[in-house]
Structure formats: C-alpha cells, structure tokens
Amino acid sequence: AELRGPRPAHAMLRDVRAAGGFTQINHPTIFPSDVPAFGNFCRGCSWEYSDSETDYSLVDGIEIATGPSGAKTEPPQGANPFTVTAIDFYERALSQGHRIAAIGVSDSHNAGRTPNPVTQSPIGEATTVVFAEELSEQGVECGVEAGHTYVKVTGNDGPDLRLEARPQGAGGPAATMGDNVRASAASFEARVLRGAGRELMVVKDGSAIQTVPIPSDDFTHRFEASSPGRYRLQLQRGSTIESVSTPIWLEPGEGRVV
C-alpha cells in the first residue's frame, strides 16, 4: 500500500529552500522516457514534471551539459545530443521570467574513472566556472545562486569566457553573468581567452543575433543592446558547443547595475 500520494516537484524544492539548501535540475532531457528507444534505459533520468509542478522560481541551477561532450570513439561520432536539448530546456525556463544559473557537470558515478569512455566522462567534463567572492563552499554556492557562471562543455581545458555590461554611456562597476542592467540601452563586452579558431555567438532570448569568428587567443567583442532581454554567450567549434554562459538581463530602468 502507498504510504502517501505523489508530491509535486515544487513541494520538494520548497522544502529544500526552507532548510537553507540549494536546488538544481540535473540532466533534464537525457534519455527521455517518451522516446521508445530510451523507455527503460534510464528511468527517472529526464525531468518529467510540468512547468506548474516545478515552479522554476524555486530552482537555482539547471544542468545544460551532463557527462561526455561527445562519444569518445574513432572516428568521433559528434557532440552529445542531450546538450542541445538541455539548453532548449534551460531557455524555456528563462523565458518564463526566472533567473537560473547554467551548470555543467560530469555526472561521474565512478569517482572520475571512465570504464566506458563512450558514455562516461572524467570529473570536470563538463566544468562549471563560478565567479565567487571567496574560495569556499559558501562562496561558490553564493556565486551560483547569483548566476555568476558559465559552462565549459568540453572540460576545464576549454576556452575561458568573460561578459560584462554597463548602462550605455555610464562608468562604474559592470554587470557580469547573472546580473541585471536596468537601463534603456547597454554596452556589452565579451572576451574569449584561448579560443582561436572558434566562433562566438551572442544569443538574445534564445536566438543567435551575432556570430563572429575568433582570430586570436585573447579576443574582445563589443556590442550595443537597446531592447530588453537576456543576453548570453555561446562558443562554437564547428557544430560542437564548447561554452555557454548564464545571461545578463537588460530591463527598463534608471541606468544602474543590480
């Protein structure tokens, strides 16, 4: 006999928050049960709760990259298909007005060992890069909760990203990933380190609005934005997604960073 009925996800997320915990949706689209080929392969792996059952206002982070960036075979068989669908899931949550950090992890169940390198990855692939005020567990958690993150999908050796924004024509401290710029327009600066040969995409509200080649290992791209929305970076090497940032939000206001 059942001891209790099912609980919606938001009830559990609210309990975690009330206890001072951190909430994260892991591998939201991996091996979806509604696809016959995946039916019983990984039961419970994908996130099957509806938006109303979830309440994304209670979610701190969403994994947009989980495990290997691609199958480790010869010849290579391409990028992890669940990265693309997870990014779509993430963008859908953001489109509802929620501020959630982009996260990437290895999902290692073998202490970093990879007895099956086709489907498993070492710790650090993917990697979440966090801007933290201090090097401590609490500092990292606060950085993630603030959305000060980007994901190196292919691991820690991948290129580094920087993204800043200020109200147009203003000085002072800049917004970084996860922050808000409240102004009619903003000036953005994106920087890519060790990314020569890739392409940098500027993504607004889930759609690429600029794609620029990266000719050097210390590359800066500046752009102006005059319409409200969320602006993030995505680094591409051919069809492979290498890095994804949490957005900076531009919203109407009096010209300040929050």
Side-chain angles (χ1 to χ4, degrees):
E2 289 186 355
L3 296 179
R4 59 171 176 79
R7 299 180 70 202
H10 62 72
M12 294 175 279
L13 295 171
R14 189 171 289 110
D15 287 347
V16 173
R17 282 278 189 89
F22 173 88
T23 61
Q24 181 171 305
I25 295 177
N26 297 330
H27 40 68
T29 59
I30 197 168
F31 303 122
S33 61
D34 59 350
V35 177
F38 297 142
N40 293 316
F41 185 80
C42 188
R43 296 180 65 185
C45 280
S46 59
W47 189 259
E48 298 180 351
Y49 295 99
S50 68
D51 291 351
S52 61
E53 290 171 327
T54 301
D55 186 356
Y56 291 103
S57 69
L58 299 170
V59 176
D60 294 309
I62 291 177
E63 282 184 3
I64 57 93
T66 305
S69 55
K72 304 298 191 293
T73 59
E74 290 297 337
Q77 295 182 8
N80 186 333
F82 300 118
T83 299
V84 175
T85 56
I87 292 172
D88 288 344
F89 179 97
Y90 177 62
E91 287 285 2
R92 183 167 59 82
L94 298 183
S95 72
Q96 298 176 40
H98 305 294
R99 310 298 169 91
I100 304 171
I103 303 292
V105 304
S106 66
D107 196 33
S108 174
H109 290 223
N110 297 283
R113 297 184 294 272
T114 55
N116 183 347
V118 175
T119 60
Q120 297 167 1
S121 63
I123 292 172
E125 185 185 332
T127 295
T128 305
V129 182
V130 183
F131 175 76
E133 295 290 343
E134 63 180 37
L135 187 57
S136 67
E137 181 178 338
Q138 183 177 10
V140 171
E141 181 177 335
C142 288
V144 175
E145 289 174 341
H148 296 159
T149 67
Y150 69 92
V151 175
K152 294 185 178 184
V153 177
T154 57
N156 194 52
D157 291 337
D160 292 305
L161 295 181
R162 305 288 185 267
L163 181 63
E164 294 185 342
R166 291 179 173 86
Q168 204 168 60
T176 189
M177 301 165 189
D179 289 341
N180 302 325
V181 176
R182 293 180 177 165
S184 58
S187 300
F188 285 77
E189 180 177 294
R191 187 181 179 194
V192 183
L193 303 173
R194 299 181 294 111
R198 280 83 165 173
E199 289 186 321
L200 178 66
M201 293 171 53
V202 178
V203 179
K204 177 182 182 288
D205 296 339
S207 299
I209 58 171
Q210 295 181 8
T211 302
V212 294
I214 301 173
S216 65
D217 277 329
D218 190 347
F219 174 71
T220 298
H221 175 63
R222 297 177 177 87
F223 62 97
E224 305 295 317
S226 57
S227 60
R230 58 184 189 276
Y231 295 80
R232 67 170 176 85
L233 302 180
Q234 185 163 309
L235 197 64
Q236 298 278 147
R237 188 181 69 234
S239 61
T240 298
I241 299 171
E242 282 206 319
S243 300
V244 175
S245 78
T246 299
I248 291 175
W249 279 262
L250 174 61
E251 53 191 25
E254 63 279 24
R256 64 190 181 100
V257 172
V258 294

